[in-house]
Amino acid sequence: MPGMLYGREREQAVVEELLDGARSGRSGVLVVRGEPGIGKTALLEHAVAVAGGAFRVIRATGIEYEAELPFAALSLLLAPGLDRLSALPDPQQRSLAGAFGLAEAPAGAAAPGDRLLAGLATLGLLAELASEQPLLCVVDDVQWLDRPSLDALVLAARRLRVEGVALLLAVRDAGPAAPPGADGSALPAPAGATGTDALPLAGLPELRLAGLAEPDAARLLDARAGSGVSGEVRRRLLAEAAGNPLALTELPAAVAGSGPTGPALAPGVLPLTNRLQLAFHGQVTGLPPATQSLLLVAAAEENGELDVVLAAAAALGATAEHLAPAEEAGLVAVGADRRIAFRHPLLRAAVLQRAPLQQRLTAHRAIGEALEDGDRRTWHLALAATAPDTELADALERTAVRAEARGGHGGAAAAYERAARLTPDRDAATRRLVLAAEAATAEGKLAQAEELAERAGARTDSVFAHALLDQVRATAHFWRGSYPTAYRLLLDAAATGIEPAHAARMLLQAFHAAWYAGEEPVVAVLDRLARLPLAAADPLTPLARHLSAAVLPALGRPAGALPAVRDTAAAARRAGADTPADLVQLCGATLILGRDAETAELAVELVAEARTKGAVGVLPTLQFFLAEAELFHGRHHDAEVTATEALALARDTGQHQWVSQLSALLACLAALGGDDAQCTALAATARTATALTGAAAGTAAPAPGEPWTQWALGLLDLGRGRAGDAADRLHALATGPYRHHVSGTRAVPDLVEAAVRLGAPERAAEPYERFARWARAAGLPWAEALRLRCQALLGPDELAESAYRAALDLHDGTHRPFEQARTALLYGEWLRRERRRTDARPHLRAALEAFEAAGAHPWADRARTELTATGTSAPAPADAPAGVLTALTPQELQIVRLAAQGLTNRDIAAQLFLSPRTVGHHLYKAYPKLGVASRADLPALL
């Protein structure tokens, strides 16, 4: 049975409920938060005790450490399950094997998606470990996990469903001052520690521990201190501890050693955490000197490996027998896995803080020499170094390269920076600072990247180095929403005479910033890109040409002929573009001039390739472009399925830009379906998804999904007959800074309809002229059909019928049923107003059927009203949308389609990045909705 916890009955019940869920096959996650010493670890130990032998238990603890060793914590956590790696899909196997150093990292492992793939592999391995009995996964001091381990673990946590896994994460709300560094000053936060406010845990279930109520605190104090404290001292202990269980346990001993006026009871002088450390200081000081030395080595050795600690301690004159006094005092314990664990993390910090600088240096040197060759050895020797050391600096750079290859950009940044400090040659040191700044940028550590860029820039006159540093600064500005500044930095950096290949990459990045900065910056970037003397064999050459040919005509500028996107992709692949991330920009560029079918074809191919290769990070981007193409073709349900999966992936992987974009696109689909509440909720999400980034920079930059959001809300108003509101929203979109965006262009026909219904067609005149130029440049039948529809609405009225008829003729064969139906509706409305009711009926009836098939309820209601007004009966609204598949959720539909193709649950899980149990759960829920008994019935149904 678990040990006694005072005053934690409610918290224990929450944890036990989590375990009960895992016993019944449900997975659950709980983040336990609180200040140091508040009882987080005790609650985790309670969970382990309650789980008993019914659960398989795996656990890990974050350690505050200046170096970041990528995936160090995750490798310790999952070590018991490595024999089951072969059960995972090949890409996930390779990802974890590469991350843990069990095999060479797969090709392209430094891509941002690889860390995400490790998270999906973690999900798969957790599910495997839970296949025979429920699994309890306990991780303490999450704030000190290396960032790759944390990201992987959180991604797995967000996708747990019905595997029978209970995941407990303990996070410190406010930590103590960092232990002193090698130079005696306080160290910056470790490379892997982002601080509790920046941990990617938002949205996970949370349990916050507060201080114990006074009666419970008194019971705990009496149980721990007995009659040793009483009267005024007892009263002050209770007041100063403020319900903190660790303080109630440790401060009495400190008071006994220092008296009731000692530093442990010094209100207003030191924070409680510091007083606890002072209490620990006193406990360590009374130990034999050799034991203190051994504890220092154990505190400096991040993994607690007994053999390494003893080997290093021997160099300081300590042996295994000197561990006994610390064990007897309850300061440390050695587990069955031969690892030394401190009673509390603050005790470990106290041991490090109290040691003089020279002793800490000696300890790190001894640990480094005790370790075999490897990154840990290099780091400890580097932490012990007090003077430049070329050989050690070179070794640290190799460590950084390996960290980047495993997706550990934060660890690489720390290694490059430390290498720069140890490099005697000024130019070489500067080069390493530049590499550190680039790695910090890749990790998303924007403030750190900018600080490194400033340091590096002050040391060099190299044009190329300054260009790279401006790219670092531009990236920081971009992610904070300062698009014009990012654009200008990149444009200037590319113009410094650097190699064309480097300049092209900067200009392609500048294009992204320019896209949000306005039309003129876009044109300037493309003009600069066109004049670059890129080699024919450079994979960027066909991409740059395609980008110019796709975008400039859409802006009314001359450009070369637009090649088929498949030809451009093939040319880029021949030149070395071999991943979906290399080609993703083609999908977005091809949409700009209306090549929606080509976008859909390429995006389907790249999505399949990304699934096969495990390129998780690029999937939300690809699926956004695919969902756009599906929406434009009137395949609203397909677009919803695609965008829903992409939004879940974007949320789970922290891609806030795509959370904004995809939420806005789904808001548009909700508007078309007449779901007012869903549309407004998604629009709000789209506008706030990147709010934290903007707030951090002090900017009010609109969210990336703002153009789509404006369109969605305008469509909602238009569908509900609120022409004035629709015209206001759509006019702002079609004439504002985002008018060149895909949504800004495609929304113009809606603006025309709203303005005409409002009786203010002049509000749409200029946007229509721009749309007409765009349609001519696109040269596509469906685009011309929309232009003719706009012309029919805007007049003159005597030309309306010929324009409507020509538009309907062009709609035939374009496979865009929704837009065809809208043209038919408007034509039918015009015919009814002209008192030609008989002529109007077939157009209105066809429109009604198409709208009902698409689930576009506001438009269906409008068509039904118009049809009734012609004097004929209109079918009543269907109770449910046509088709049995519409009863399924987007994820159920996705899974059912794959199952109908003959894929097993494991195959489907690998494609959709779920666990096989989750796939089975969705199929179990889908069968009754479809009226089938098993997957064998699905092919005939579909």
Side-chain angles (χ1 to χ4, degrees):
M1 289 296 294
M4 180 66 176
L5 293 182
Y6 293 89
R8 295 299 189 201
E9 291 79 11
R10 183 185 70 84
E11 292 84 355
Q12 288 172 288
V14 172
V15 169
E16 289 164 17
E17 183 180 356
L18 181 74
L19 297 176
D20 288 342
R23 286 191 187 94
S24 61
R26 299 190 312 274
S27 294
V29 183
L30 184 63
V31 178
V32 181
R33 286 187 176 272
E35 65 181 18
I38 203 65
K40 302 182 296 298
T41 300
L43 194 61
L44 266 54
E45 294 299 336
H46 171 79
V48 172
V50 171
F55 278 71
R56 182 169 191 167
V57 179
I58 60 174
R59 59 196 308 171
T61 300
I63 298 294
E64 187 177 12
Y65 184 43
E66 186 180 1
E68 178 184 322
L69 301 174
F71 296 105
L74 193 66
S75 64
L76 289 174
L77 178 69
L78 298 181
L82 293 182
D83 59 334
R84 300 188 181 220
L85 271 182
S86 59
L88 302 181
D90 285 344
Q92 295 180 25
Q93 282 186 53
R94 291 194 299 270
S95 174
L96 274 190
F100 296 166
L102 304 175
E104 286 193 14
D114 293 333
R115 188 184 301 185
L116 309 179
L117 184 58
L120 296 171
T122 299
L123 171 67
L125 203 52
L126 292 177
E128 282 296 322
L129 289 172
S131 60
E132 296 164 3
Q133 64 183 129
L135 176 71
L136 173 60
C137 179
V138 175
V139 185
D140 203 353
D141 276 324
V142 165
Q143 74 279 356
W144 298 130
L145 293 185
D146 61 274
R147 190 57 186 254
S149 291
L150 176 61
D151 286 346
L153 193 59
V154 169
L155 175 55
R158 294 189 189 283
R159 299 184 81 79
L160 285 169
R161 296 293 183 271
V162 290
E163 300 80 6
V165 175
L167 177 57
L168 270 174
L169 307 173
V171 182
R172 183 187 300 177
D173 273 344
D183 60 358
S185 63
L187 290 174
T194 57
T196 54
D197 292 338
L199 292 176
L201 302 175
L204 295 179
E206 186 174 288
L207 176 64
R208 188 174 295 275
L209 300 188
L212 298 178
E214 186 170 344
D216 296 313
R219 290 168 58 211
L220 174 58
L221 178 61
D222 292 341
R224 293 293 186 267
S227 59
V229 294
S230 60
E232 177 63 14
V233 173
R234 183 177 184 275
R235 187 191 66 76
R236 291 189 63 191
L237 278 170
L238 287 170
E240 288 303 309
N244 185 292
L246 185 65
L248 291 164
T249 302
E250 302 294 343
L251 291 185
V255 170
S258 63
T261 60
L265 287 178
V269 178
L270 289 173
L272 178 60
T273 295
N274 297 72
R275 280 178 273 149
L276 284 169
Q277 287 184 318
L278 285 174
F280 285 133
H281 287 180
Q283 295 177 45
V284 174
T285 301
L287 296 173
T291 301
Q292 295 183 41
S293 297
L294 196 151
L295 285 180
L296 175 59
V297 172
E301 198 282 318
E302 67 283 357
N303 283 353
E305 296 179 22
L306 180 61
D307 294 339
V308 174
V309 170
L310 292 178
L316 279 64
T319 64
E321 66 183 27
H322 294 116
L323 186 60
E327 290 181 294
E328 292 166 2
L331 300 179
V332 296
V334 178
D337 57 358
R338 293 183 61 78
R339 293 186 185 276
I340 300 178
F342 283 86
R343 187 173 75 226
H344 194 276
L346 288 181
L347 174 56
R348 177 180 178 271
V351 170
L352 286 171
Q353 279 195 334
R354 68 184 295 278
L357 170 61
Q358 191 57 46
Q359 287 185 19
R360 294 195 302 273
L361 297 178
T362 302
H364 279 300
R365 187 175 301 109
I367 295 168
E369 291 171 353
L371 290 165
E372 298 178 359
D373 289 342
D375 293 338
R376 290 176 61 206
R377 173 186 174 86
T378 299
W379 259 113
H380 279 285
L381 292 177
L383 292 173
T386 57
D389 186 326
T390 299
E391 184 177 345
L392 188 53
D394 292 344
L396 265 178
E397 180 169 345
R398 291 191 293 271
T399 290
V401 170
R402 284 190 291 271
E404 286 189 296
R406 294 160 64 187
H409 301 290
Y416 281 130
E417 182 181 12
R418 176 69 70 167
R421 293 184 191 178
L422 297 177
T423 303
D425 180 75
R426 182 181 179 86
D427 291 340
T430 301
R431 179 183 64 81
R432 285 167 172 158
L433 279 177
V434 173
L435 292 171
E438 291 179 321
T441 301
E443 182 72 3
K445 300 278 193 178
L446 304 183
Q448 180 188 3
E450 289 174 311
E451 188 269 334
L452 287 165
E454 290 304 315
R455 284 170 52 192
R459 295 167 57 96
T460 182
D461 296 325
S462 166
V463 171
F464 181 54
H466 277 284
L468 293 177
L469 295 173
D470 279 342
Q471 188 175 20
V472 166
R473 297 183 183 101
T475 302
H477 282 289
F478 179 85
W479 287 117
R480 289 171 176 151
S482 301
Y483 304 123
T485 303
Y487 151 74
R488 177 51 56 190
L489 281 168
L490 289 162
L491 201 68
D492 291 346
T496 55
I498 61 177
E499 289 291 326
H502 289 293
R505 282 159 179 78
M506 290 180 182
L507 289 173
L508 287 175
Q509 187 177 345
F511 177 82
H512 286 283
W515 190 246
Y516 292 97
E519 288 184 34
E520 291 307 317
V522 169
V523 173
V525 169
L526 293 176
D527 178 65
R528 187 77 60 82
L529 194 58
R531 289 189 277 113
L532 270 184
L534 279 174
D538 192 311
L540 291 184
T541 299
L543 301 179
R545 290 172 180 167
H546 192 98
L547 190 63
S548 293
V551 177
L552 288 174
L555 302 180
R557 310 298 175 103
L562 179 61
V565 71
R566 181 165 292 281
D567 294 339
T568 300
R573 287 189 188 275
R574 287 193 299 270
D578 58 357
T579 70
D582 294 330
L583 301 172
V584 62
Q585 199 168 35
L586 277 178
C587 294
T590 303
L591 281 171
I592 294 171
L593 204 57
R595 302 297 197 268
D596 304 340
E598 292 184 49
T599 292
E601 183 181 5
L602 179 62
V604 165
E605 174 188 314
L606 293 179
V607 165
E609 184 179 343
R611 292 191 194 279
T612 300
K613 292 182 174 179
V616 188
V618 75
L619 269 173
T621 313
L622 285 170
Q623 290 176 304
F624 174 74
F625 295 140
L626 176 57
E628 282 185 297
E630 290 169 335
L631 169 60
F632 296 149
H633 280 99
R635 289 157 41 202
H636 296 176
H637 203 182
D638 289 343
E640 183 186 12
V641 169
T642 300
T644 298
E645 184 197 5
L647 177 59
L649 275 174
R651 280 179 172 150
D652 292 348
T653 55
Q655 299 187 55
H656 303 297
Q657 175 185 4
W658 293 111
V659 170
S660 175
Q661 297 270 35
L662 288 156
S663 296
L665 191 151
L666 285 166
C668 203
L669 287 164
L672 294 173
D675 191 336
D676 298 44
Q678 179 77 341
C679 177
T680 52
L682 285 164
T685 298
R687 284 174 162 164
T688 58
T690 55
L692 288 179
T693 303
T699 68
E706 180 61 22
W708 271 95
T709 300
Q710 290 179 331
W711 191 13
L713 295 174
L715 276 173
L716 184 66
D717 289 331
L718 184 61
R720 293 303 184 195
R722 301 188 291 263
D725 291 340
D728 289 344
R729 293 186 194 276
L730 297 171
H731 183 268
L733 173 60
T735 60
Y738 300 127
R739 65 182 190 177
H740 59 290
H741 282 216
V742 171
S743 51
T745 299
R746 307 294 178 101
V748 169
D750 302 319
L751 168 62
V752 170
E753 182 178 338
V756 170
R757 290 172 69 85
L758 187 63
E762 68 281 358
R763 295 191 67 184
E766 190 276 334
Y768 165 72
E769 291 301 327
R770 295 184 75 254
F771 183 82
R773 291 194 295 272
W774 175 86
R776 285 193 294 272
L780 298 166
W782 67 264
E784 178 61 11
L786 293 183
R787 187 199 68 78
L788 286 167
R789 186 172 87 197
C790 293
Q791 179 183 306
L793 284 166
L794 291 169
D797 203 50
E798 59 268 21
L799 299 179
E801 182 165 22
S802 61
Y804 278 129
R805 285 184 172 277
L808 288 171
D809 288 343
L810 287 173
H811 275 307
D812 283 338
T814 61
H815 306 293
R816 292 170 183 257
F818 182 71
E819 291 300 342
Q820 185 171 354
R822 289 186 64 184
T823 301
L825 172 61
L826 289 165
Y827 183 32
E829 289 175 334
W830 183 85
L831 288 169
R832 187 189 63 77
R833 291 195 301 273
E834 292 292 310
R835 302 177 183 273
R836 295 165 56 184
R837 296 178 178 179
T838 302
D839 293 339
R841 287 169 189 154
H843 296 292
L844 294 172
R845 191 172 290 110
L848 175 58
E849 291 173 358
F851 291 143
E852 288 196 326
H857 303 302
W859 276 265
D861 291 343
R862 186 169 136 195
R864 188 176 294 106
T865 300
E866 286 290 331
L867 191 57
T868 301
T870 66
T872 188
S873 60
D879 291 335
V884 67
L885 295 180
T886 58
L888 303 180
T889 67
Q891 189 161 70
E892 288 169 354
L893 176 58
Q894 202 173 20
I895 289 171
V896 163
R897 284 175 170 171
L898 292 172
Q901 296 172 21
L903 274 67
T904 66
N905 286 7
R906 192 170 291 277
D907 294 334
I908 298 170
Q911 281 215 27
L912 302 185
F913 309 115
L914 303 169
S915 73
R917 283 195 189 180
T918 298
V919 171
H921 178 70
H922 282 297
L923 285 173
Y924 178 78
K925 292 196 301 181
Y927 292 156
K929 297 179 182 179
L930 299 175
V932 301
S934 72
R935 68 197 312 134
D937 301 320
L938 294 177
L941 179 68
L942 297 180

